[in-house]
Amino acid sequence: MRGCGVIPRMRLPLLLGSLLLSSGCIVAETRPSHPHRPPPRPPPSRPVAMGYDEAVRRGFDQCRARGYRCDLKEAHLTGNDVWKVKFRVDGRGEKGHLHLDYDAYSRNLIKVNDKVKDKGGRDWDDDDWDGPGRGKKKGHARRDD
């Protein structure tokens, strides 16, 4: 019986030592459950609004594309983020003005007011003009346009 009692006595410290060592290894190897995360990215920044020089340059490009000689009258940014660019124009026998509106952020041309007439005072888009001498008509002014 002596032999039986020695083995269990040796097994007990061996078992306890193994348990202590294995738990120590587990504690030493554990890592935080939440790895360090970088801070969230800031939201995308708003595009940069076009400035005075860009608005005027775009206006000149549009004016020249229409075949006019352009003189800048004014350019300003409204509270609605719209650039208003205004020109006096002189072209192939025409005179008048060209007003252009640009969205400051998208840079899209959003409105064109083209008031250009030939030097005789007639609009180019005035297709109902047949000249003087048409006579009086009911409901028309004494002098036809």
Side-chain angles (χ1 to χ4, degrees), residues 21 23 25 28 46 62 66 90 100 116 137:
L21 283 175
S23 67
C25 292
R46 188 173 183 189
Q62 188 66 229
R66 294 169 182 263
D90 208 355
L100 305 166
V116 180
K137 293 183 181 174

Side-chain angles (χ1 to χ4, degrees), residues 10-85:
M10 288 181 75
R11 284 187 182 172
L12 184 63
L14 190 60
L15 182 63
L16 285 173
S18 297
L19 288 172
L20 288 173
L21 283 175
S22 66
S23 67
C25 292
I26 292 172
V27 171
E29 298 226 0
T30 59
R31 294 187 178 139
S33 62
H34 301 291
H36 178 68
R37 292 182 185 159
R41 291 183 179 173
S45 61
R46 188 173 183 189
V48 177
M50 91 171 124
Y52 176 87
D53 292 337
E54 184 180 356
V56 170
R57 182 183 47 78
R58 286 178 178 265
F60 270 115
D61 291 346
Q62 188 66 229
C63 193
R64 289 182 190 124
R66 294 169 182 263
Y68 302 137
R69 188 177 58 86
C70 314
D71 294 318
L72 180 67
K73 274 174 63 174
E74 70 172 293
H76 65 276
L77 181 63
T78 68
N80 297 334
D81 297 328
V82 174
W83 274 101
K84 297 202 172 266
V85 185

Side-chain angles (χ1 to χ4, degrees), residues 69-112:
R69 188 177 58 86
C70 314
D71 294 318
L72 180 67
K73 274 174 63 174
E74 70 172 293
H76 65 276
L77 181 63
T78 68
N80 297 334
D81 297 328
V82 174
W83 274 101
K84 297 202 172 266
V85 185
K86 300 176 182 180
F87 295 96
R88 271 186 230 101
V89 297
D90 208 355
R92 306 164 301 255
E94 310 103 359
K95 280 196 176 234
H97 65 264
L98 177 66
H99 293 187
L100 305 166
D101 291 359
Y102 290 97
D103 182 279
Y105 289 95
S106 70
R107 291 159 170 77
N108 291 330
L109 180 62
I110 54 179
K111 184 178 176 185
V112 177

